[in-house]
Every structure is written in C-alpha cells, then in structure tokens.
Amino acid sequence: MATEGNYYVPEQSKLPLFAATGMGLAALGAGQWVQGQSPMVFVAGALVLAFTLYTWFGLVIKENRAGLASDQLKRSYVWGMTWFIFSEVMFFAAFFGALFYVRVLVLPWLAGESPNEMTNQLLWQGFETNWPLFNTPDMAINGDAAQFKGPDDIIDPWHLPLINTIILLASSVTVHFAHTAIKNENRQKFTTWLGITVALGVIFLFFQAEEYIEAYQELGLTLESGIFGTTFFMLTGFHGAHVFMGTFMLAVQLVRGFKGHFSADDQFGFEAASWYWHFVDVVWVGLFIFVYVLGS
Amino acid sequence: MAHGPAKGIGRWLFTTNHKDIGTLYLWFSFAMFLLGGFFAMVIRAELFEPGMQIVNPEFFNQMTTMHGLVMVFGAIMPAFVGLANWMIPMMIGAPDMALPRMNNLSFWILPFAFAILAATLFMEGGAPNFGWTFYAPLSTTYAPDTVNYFIFGVHIMGISSIMGSINIIATVLNMRAPGMTFMKMPLFVWTWLITAFLLIAVMPVLAGAVTMMLMDINFGTSFFNAAGGGDPVLFQHIFWFFGHPEVYIIILPAFGVISQIIPTFSRKPLFGYSSMVYATSSIAFLSFIVWAHHMFTVGMPIGGQLYFMYATMLIAVPTAAKVFNWISTMFRGSITYETPMLFSIAFVILFTIGGFTGLMLSIAPSDVQYHDSYFVVAHFHYVMVAGAVFSGTAAVYYWLPKWCGKMYDETMGKVHFWVSFIGFNITFFPQHFLGLAGMPRRYADYALQFSDWNMISSVGAFIYGASQLLFLFNVIRTIKAGKPVDDPKVWEGAEGLEWEVPTPAPYHTFSTPPDVK
C-alpha cells in the first residue's frame, strides 16, 4: 500500500500529446465546419481525442487497481473533480447571467425605460417589453419582414418539464442509494440502483428530445426565435449535453460495477460521476424555475 | 520514481516532470513574447509618423488585436504558469505537480491554439481585427470569417488554463510537506493559489462569451443583437466579468514573485506577511464585483456608475498595503542591487504609477474623457509590461542559477535592465500626454499635433524591443557558458525550501517530503 511521501509520479507518457493533437485538430476542424467546409478534420480530431481519453482513463483505472494510487493521489483526484465541477458552474453562470440581464434590464431599456427613452423612440419605436418575448424589437419595426421573430407559443412547464424534473430529482436519489449500497459492499444493489439511474437519465434525454421536436414543429420556438428562443435553447441545450455526459459517465461506472471494480473504501470513479450527476440535477432545478416556470 | 530525463526530443514531448514542463512553458511564452513584440513593432512603426506608411488600416487593426491576444494569453499567462510549474513543488516540498500527465496536456494544447490563431493571419479575410476585447458586434456581425478559428482557439486555450489551474490548486492543497502550513507558504505559492481559483472561476465565463458569439454568427441566435431582444452591451458585461479578474490573474503571480525577491536582496523577512495574504485575497474578491468600470461610456444608469466607481476605488486599499509592505521590507535592509532586485524595484515604482492612473480612470465622470484614449493604453502597459513582464524577467534572473546551475553575467543583466527601463518609459510615459490631449487608441493614423510624442514613443518602443533580444542572449549565454554555481542558496539572503535543494536543482526533488519547522 502506497503511503504519504511516496506519491506516484507516472513515467513519461505519449497520451497528453495525442490528446492535445486531437483537441487542436478538433478546434481547427470545428472552425472549418461552421464555415461550411467539410467536417472531416473535426471528426478526425474528435476521434483521436476520444480514443486517447479512453486509453488514458483505462490506464488510470489500471494503475489504481495495481495499488499505485496512494490516499494522497486519490485526494488529488477528489480536488480535481471538485474544481472541474466548479468551472462548469461558472460556465452555466454566464448563460444564466445573460438571461437575467436581458429580462431585468435589456428589454425594459429597449422599451424605453429611463434612461433609455431615446433608444426606444429612435430605434425600436412601438416595442413593448414582455416575457416570453413573442414580439421582438425587430417585429415592432419590420412587422412580418422581421428577421428575428418571436415564438408562437412556449413549452408548458407543467407537462414534460415537470415530468423531467421528477425524473431527474428521482435519479439523484437513486444514485445516492447506489452510493450507500457500494459503501455497504452490496454489489447487487449497487448495480441495480445505478442501472435505474442510467435509465432515468436516458428517459430524461428522450423527453427532452420530444420537447425540442414539439418546440420546433408545433410552437415555432427555435434557436432563432429572438432572445427567448436563444436563452431557452442554449440553457436547456447545454444542460442536455451535460446530462448526456453524466449519463455516459454513470454508464461507464455501471460497466465497471459489473466487472467488480469498486469496493466499500475505493469507488472514486463512481463517486466523481455521481457528484457530476448531482450538479447536473441542481442546474436543472435552476432551469425549471427560471426558464420554464418564471419564463411562462 | 527515480526515472531520469529521457534522451532526445521525447523528453520534451512526453514529459511528466514539472521542471521540464515549466521550461517548456517559459520558452513558449518567450517565443510568443517575441511574436507579440513583433506585432507591437509594426504598430509603432506605422505610428512613427502621421499618415499611412507601412501597413493599411485593416492590417493595423489585425496587429493591435493579435498583439493583445498573443501577449495576454500567449506570453504573460504561460510565463507565470511556467514559473508556477518550476517553483511551486520545490517551494512546498512536493515531489511533482499533483497530476503530472494532465500537466503536460495543459502545456501542449497551447502550441496548437496559437498555431490556429497565428494561421488566421494568412487566411482569406485576415486575422481577427476587432481588438483583443472582441466587442460585439465588431466580433460578430462585422467580423472576418476567421473569427470562428479564433473562437475555437480560445476554447482550447481556456481548457488548458482550467486544467493547469486545477493542477496548481490540487498541488497546493494536497502536496505540501508536513509542517508546511498555509501561513508558512511562500507568497508566490499563495498568490498562485488565489490566481488559480480566479482562473477556474472566469475562464468558463470567457468560454461562454465566445460560445454566444459563435451562436450569434453561425446559428441565428440574438444574444448580442437588439433586433431579437439581445444587447451588444451584454457582451461587454460578460467579457469584463472574465476580463477584470483576468488582469489580476496576470498581476497576482507578479506580486508573488516580487514578494520573494525583495526580501532576498534586502536581507530581511517580508514585512507584513499575513497582511500580504489577506490583501491578495481581498483583491481577488473585489475583482469579481468591479467589471463595469471598463464600460462607463456605454450608457449605464447613474447608480451603476457610482457603484462600480466606488467598488473599484476600494481595490486601491489592499494594493496600497502591498506596496507599503514591499517598501517597508526594503526599509533599513542591507540592500544590494543585483538584476532581479533592480527589476523588482522598478516594478514597485512603475506598477504604482500604473495603479494611480488606474485610480484616475476609475473616476466615472473623468473616465468619460479618458475612455479609449492613449491614456488607457499607457495605464495598462504600465501594469502589464512594467508590472507583469518586469516581474517575470526578475523571476528568470532570480531563479535561473537554481534552474541551470550557472550564474548569468551581472553586467549584462544590468545593461538589459537599464535599456529596458529607459526604453519602456520613453515608450509609454508620453502616451499619457497623448491620451490626455485626446488621441484615441486603435487608430492607424492621427492628427498632426500628436506627431512629436508618437515619434518619441516609437523610438522608445524600438529600444525596448531590442532590449528583449539582449535578454534572450543573456539567458542563452548563461545556459551555455555561465559561471557554474553550486551553492544551494545562490543568493546570500535567500530563504525557502527551493534554496535547500542542490544547485542546479536535480531532476527530481523531494521524493520524500522534507520536514518543515
């Protein structure tokens, strides 16, 4: 057993350079792709990155199972995950901040609230603030010729979003049950509860997709329908992407659980994924309140 | 554990050693410093005389933009990360950084990011031309197509910074030798701990800002477009919520470096150690709540202007405490003036000038006059160059003997210092006058009455630029042919764990943690 003062410093590794190459290619390729060129460079970069990360995480798991990871190294992983989640919190903070700023300040100003009377009179005459923003400033000026049109209708928070709230809150509980189970060395219960959590994550994503289809096909609510559509899809979309990531992470832990990787005192891979899951859950509560309920 | 440096290029490509990675960061940052410096020389050459001589205005805009981006993200930040990599494990008695492979990844992202950014210069439409602050709608509606490469470049740069910061925080929180309590940590470690926190807090916000740009440009969203109910000013709020902490991300490690060097050459312990820690923390906290002082002219309500004005002025208090402590450390010390000390003293004086002009700019009613003038340019170059770059230079002279076991040539060092110091002040001091007289920043041409000071400023810039080649020469000469030193302490007055390991520092230090009393 490794102890304090015998910190594992790995040998030279080719993985970081491969990961950086993948990331660099993906960034370059993404730039080409959004400009209408072929996505091939992006796909190549993403594949290199994905394969490298797969190998890298596999290596870390192998090292841990070989007993190379001291308690001190495990604390480094704990700090790493904690601060990574904090960085994600700040990423969402930027988008929530944009939503609040627009609703509280921008729209009243565009509608001529002091000290911006002239903004309204000279630029957006006839625009009135409202939320959801069905009538954009563009429509106030250009009517039907407007480039940015508001949505026809919005998602009712008390149907799919409410169901999704219950699903995600329930999944936070089930993932906690899984955690308790592995702490008690009960693998059977662990994999069952974790399996249920992953299933709930998949169901959430399914409903989210359903909601988007409804928005695009029936409600005229799209990414392009003014600032309401913008904030709605960017916030829920990034959250959905994070649910996807979280579900994937938990699914990996489930596979590891079947392989018998975890024990009562060594299950950080799972724990990290579950923290991420709780974080995604908390973000959803914020979304449900501020985007769905208070946004309708 | 005892694996030594590998042979050949593989040592640098695949390394997990904090010293190797620190060296990579430092050389990379110097390369970027020369590149960004070259852009600055183009700017100053064009501004040498009124009228258009060398470049066209479009290219001039690309130069100001690229100069800012390369210097901030490519030169200054990686330089301090390099110093952190080299010094933090040695200062706290750790065997390496907490997550050595991720450390290597953090570095190797940067060459890719800057290759993408620099490549835009040769693409159709040219490089980003909207200023390093990339305000919408210049960076969205009116941007060249290459803005997309810029956006994704910033994304991976941000990933690099966040991973680097996570590594530093994990190292400081988890890897200190027994007995190295928080209030015994060297100030450089403290300032980096707080800087890393700031980075993790605001780099994601920058990522959010460029993501919104990406969506507005390519996918029809209206974050920064009032027609859809958004607001271009929203961009500025988000950018400066990142941008203001960013300037402290740049200057706090510089404070740390100065707080190491001044005690050494004053042969006295740092005056007011704990107040330094509290001052650094206060500055970090305040940096989150003052961002809109960059935006006094956007038409903010008067209440907002007053709040951001007063909050900004508050920062002068902890900053003044720091300057007071540095001066008190020197007071009655037996001071010697080796090159690192010269740069540090220059830092204290010139940074204070930059701080005072900052205080002037914080006054909302007068800022309306100074806004986007050369006064602002002079102000932030006093903080960025005489602040961050001088302290980085001081750090290199201070620790170079420990890194390579060779002493730099003191005369050459002093020549470098004086040429830098004089060149810097000739460049930037006149820009205060230009700004107060009304010359706006970011223009390729100017009215005739600004000619004299611009010519002087350009001459200074060429002197300052040339002095950096002297720096490069000094460092290479030291490594190749410097006088060997084997005293672990190197400097008579140096204190701290990094001075207890042999000189040059062995490839692995503190494989077993030292006991700190």
Side-chain angles (χ1 to χ4, degrees):
Chain A
M1 194 65 193
T3 52
E4 300 267 340
N6 200 359
Y7 198 83
Y8 173 61
V9 179
E11 296 275 348
Q12 290 221 327
S13 170
K14 294 190 171 68
L15 291 167
L17 190 65
F18 276 112
T21 311
M23 234 182 256
L25 283 177
L28 179 70
Q32 294 176 339
W33 191 14
V34 294
Q35 286 173 62
Q37 296 171 33
S38 140
M40 280 319 294
V41 178
F42 172 77
V43 172
L47 283 176
V48 171
L49 182 61
F51 182 72
T52 310
L53 289 182
Y54 177 80
T55 316
W56 194 332
F57 279 104
L59 180 67
V60 171
I61 291 167
K62 212 188 297 170
E63 285 168 355
N64 186 36
R65 294 183 59 71
L68 288 170
S70 61
D71 289 348
Q72 197 184 8
L73 179 63
K74 285 176 190 165
R75 282 203 299 278
S76 293
Y77 290 145
V78 170
W79 281 124
M81 193 64 197
T82 311
W83 289 102
F84 169 64
I85 291 177
F86 175 63
S87 79
E88 292 273 34
V89 170
M90 293 307 293
F91 182 76
F92 276 99
F95 287 88
F96 273 108
L99 172 68
F100 298 153
Y101 183 76
V102 164
R103 281 194 63 177
V104 177
L105 296 171
V106 173
L107 294 179
W109 283 344
L110 289 175
E113 191 182 276
S114 165
N116 287 276
E117 296 86 352
M118 294 316 281
T119 307
N120 181 262
Q121 295 210 358
L122 296 177
L123 294 172
W124 311 110
Q125 209 166 25
F127 172 70
E128 278 172 34
T129 176
N130 53 43
W131 195 268
L133 189 68
F134 292 116
N135 291 304
T136 62
D138 201 5
M139 290 159 85
I141 297 296
N142 296 319
D144 282 344
Q147 189 192 346
F148 295 96
K149 289 203 182 104
D152 301 327
D153 205 352
I154 57 160
I155 301 284
D156 177 4
W158 306 111
H159 289 108
L160 274 182
L162 180 66
I163 297 172
N164 262 351
T165 308
I166 294 165
I167 289 173
L168 220 46
L169 287 176
S171 75
S172 247
V173 177
T174 55
V175 84
H176 176 71
F177 285 164
H179 192 200
T180 317
I182 195 68
K183 286 262 185 199
N184 294 329
E185 202 83 65
N186 189 337
R187 281 155 198 289
Q188 177 84 48
K189 258 173 110 178
F190 169 71
T191 45
T192 310
W193 283 118
L194 187 53
I196 293 173
T197 312
V198 172
L200 288 172
V202 173
I203 296 170
F204 174 93
L205 286 169
F206 175 77
F207 282 144
Q208 183 84 23
E210 191 81 344
E211 183 182 298
Y212 277 16
I213 292 169
E214 187 194 336
Y216 263 79
Q217 293 185 343
E218 286 160 37
L219 306 177
L221 173 60
T222 72
L223 199 52
E224 292 167 36
S225 40
I227 196 66
F228 184 88
T230 297
T231 51
F232 176 81
F233 281 105
M234 291 304 285
L235 276 161
T236 56
F238 268 118
H239 176 264
H242 282 73
V243 173
F244 179 80
M245 273 299 297
T247 310
F248 179 74
M249 283 157 75
L250 288 175
V252 172
Q253 307 312 319
L254 184 62
V255 173
R256 292 185 64 198
F258 283 127
K259 286 188 180 170
H261 275 192
F262 301 117
S263 65
D265 57 2
D266 193 3
Q267 68 315 68
F268 182 67
F270 161 73
E271 237 170 358
S274 75
W275 291 347
Y276 194 79
W277 194 250
H278 290 307
F279 151 71
V280 167
D281 196 18
V282 171
V283 173
W284 176 260
V285 174
L287 284 180
F288 184 64
I289 294 171
F290 292 110
V291 175
Y292 288 100
V293 177
L294 296 180
S296 65
Chain B
M1 187 69 221
H3 42 91
K7 296 263 178 288
I9 187 85
R11 167 179 177 183
W12 304 104
L13 295 178
F14 312 130
T15 185
T16 49
N17 181 285
H18 71 101
K19 300 187 182 79
D20 282 353
I21 295 170
T23 306
L24 285 169
Y25 265 111
L26 288 167
W27 278 114
F28 174 79
S29 97
F30 198 81
M32 289 298 111
F33 185 53
L34 292 184
L35 180 67
F38 172 73
F39 296 152
M41 294 301 109
V42 174
I43 294 169
R44 283 317 320 173
E46 177 55 53
L47 293 176
F48 185 77
E49 279 179 350
M52 304 308 303
Q53 282 89 26
I54 298 169
V55 295
N56 60 39
E58 290 75 26
F59 191 72
F60 184 89
N61 289 344
Q62 297 173 28
M63 286 292 102
T64 53
T65 306
M66 294 291 274
H67 165 71
L69 291 171
V70 167
M71 284 304 197
V72 169
F73 296 105
I76 299 178
M77 286 169 67
F80 285 117
V81 182
L83 293 172
N85 261 296
W86 250 103
M87 302 318 298
I88 288 177
M90 288 212 283
M91 286 177 153
I92 62 174
D96 206 295
M97 294 293 280
L99 304 159
R101 281 177 295 219
M102 192 173 85
N103 200 14
N104 191 24
L105 173 58
S106 307
F107 171 74
W108 277 107
I109 290 172
L110 290 180
F112 287 99
F114 283 90
I116 292 173
L117 188 63
T120 58
L121 274 168
F122 306 102
M123 289 177 192
E124 208 185 316
N129 56 3
F130 29 69
W132 87 275
T133 51
F134 47 100
Y135 281 4
L138 280 180
S139 61
T140 53
T141 314
Y142 305 107
D145 282 347
T146 53
V147 66
N148 291 306
Y149 296 107
F150 158 81
I151 289 171
F152 289 111
V154 168
H155 268 131
I156 60 174
M157 230 178 268
I159 294 171
S160 156
S161 286
I162 291 169
M163 287 194 299
S165 307
I166 287 175
N167 220 335
I168 286 169
I169 294 200
T171 306
V172 175
L173 294 182
N174 191 30
M175 306 281 286
R176 280 167 292 126
M180 177 61 80
T181 56
F182 276 112
M183 291 312 269
K184 276 188 197 161
M185 288 194 317
L187 251 230
F188 181 70
V189 181
W190 254 116
T191 52
W192 245 115
L193 177 66
I194 292 166
T195 302
F197 167 74
L198 290 179
L199 273 165
I200 300 177
V202 300
M203 288 314 275
V205 176
L206 177 68
V210 293
T211 305
M212 293 176 198
M213 278 168 57
L214 179 78
M215 299 307 288
D216 270 15
I217 295 168
N218 300 296
F219 300 102
T221 58
S222 44
F223 280 111
F224 309 132
N225 193 333
D231 186 356
V233 175
L234 169 63
F235 176 86
Q236 297 187 26
H237 280 292
I238 297 173
F239 177 82
W240 285 113
F241 185 83
F242 148 79
H244 201 77
E246 168 70 17
V247 302
Y248 294 106
I249 285 164
I250 286 172
I251 207 65
L252 290 184
F255 288 168
V257 165
I258 299 304
S259 305
Q260 301 299 129
I261 294 177
I262 286 183
T264 296
F265 296 99
S266 306
R267 291 164 181 78
K268 271 176 68 191
L270 183 69
F271 183 89
Y273 170 88
S274 53
S275 69
M276 284 298 218
V277 173
Y278 301 136
T280 311
S281 317
S282 322
I283 292 173
F285 168 73
L286 289 171
S287 75
F288 284 107
I289 56 170
V290 297
W291 73 89
H293 64 214
H294 296 269
M295 312 160 46
F296 281 141
T297 57
V298 298
M300 229 189 300
I302 190 79
Q305 297 197 27
L306 287 174
Y307 161 74
F308 282 108
M309 173 168 96
Y310 292 133
T312 303
M313 288 175 172
L314 272 183
I315 300 179
V317 178
T319 312
K322 283 179 160 292
V323 173
F324 174 81
N325 284 345
W326 290 320
I327 293 170
S328 304
T329 306
M330 288 190 273
F331 182 66
R332 291 197 162 172
S334 38
I335 303 179
T336 48
Y337 298 94
E338 283 86 347
T339 310
M341 185 62 165
L342 289 175
F343 272 104
S344 300
I345 295 172
F347 169 96
V348 175
I349 297 165
L350 299 180
F351 174 79
T352 305
I353 294 177
F356 276 130
T357 51
L359 209 48
M360 288 172 71
L361 289 165
S362 75
I363 304 167
S366 37
D367 177 74
V368 175
Q369 300 300 316
Y370 310 142
H371 190 86
D372 265 356
S373 74
Y374 260 80
F375 190 79
V376 177
V377 176
H379 154 70
F380 69 72
H381 281 92
Y382 265 78
V383 196
M384 294 285 135
V385 183
V389 176
F390 271 28
S391 86
T393 314
V396 169
Y397 279 113
Y398 182 55
W399 283 311
L400 190 60
K402 174 55 75 181
W403 297 338
C404 66
K406 310 265 182 65
M407 184 50 95
Y408 64 87
D409 184 307
E410 194 59 63
T411 315
M412 295 286 296
K414 286 195 169 118
V415 170
H416 170 215
F417 167 75
W418 284 108
V419 179
S420 285
F421 181 81
I422 294 167
F424 168 82
N425 282 294
I426 295 178
T427 313
F428 293 108
F429 207 79
Q431 295 186 1
H432 291 112
F433 310 143
L434 285 171
L436 292 178
M439 179 171 162
R441 67 192 281 208
R442 289 173 173 161
Y443 279 81
D445 194 5
Y446 48 82
L448 290 178
Q449 73 264 31
F450 304 128
S451 304
D452 292 349
W453 288 125
N454 264 304
M455 194 173 281
I456 292 170
S457 179
S458 287
V459 170
F462 301 141
I463 296 173
Y464 182 77
S467 79
Q468 301 316 307
L469 299 177
L470 204 58
F471 182 33
L472 180 66
F473 175 76
N474 280 358
V475 171
I476 293 176
R477 211 179 96 128
T478 308
I479 295 168
K480 293 271 177 222
K483 213 173 90 206
V485 253
D486 51 9
D487 177 12
K489 274 186 83 143
V490 181
W491 309 107
E492 186 195 7
E495 299 287 344
L497 286 178
E498 82 265 35
W499 304 110
E500 286 171 22
V501 299
T503 303
Y507 197 59
H508 292 287
T509 36
F510 299 123
S511 297
T512 46
D515 233 345
V516 182
K517 278 154 211 100

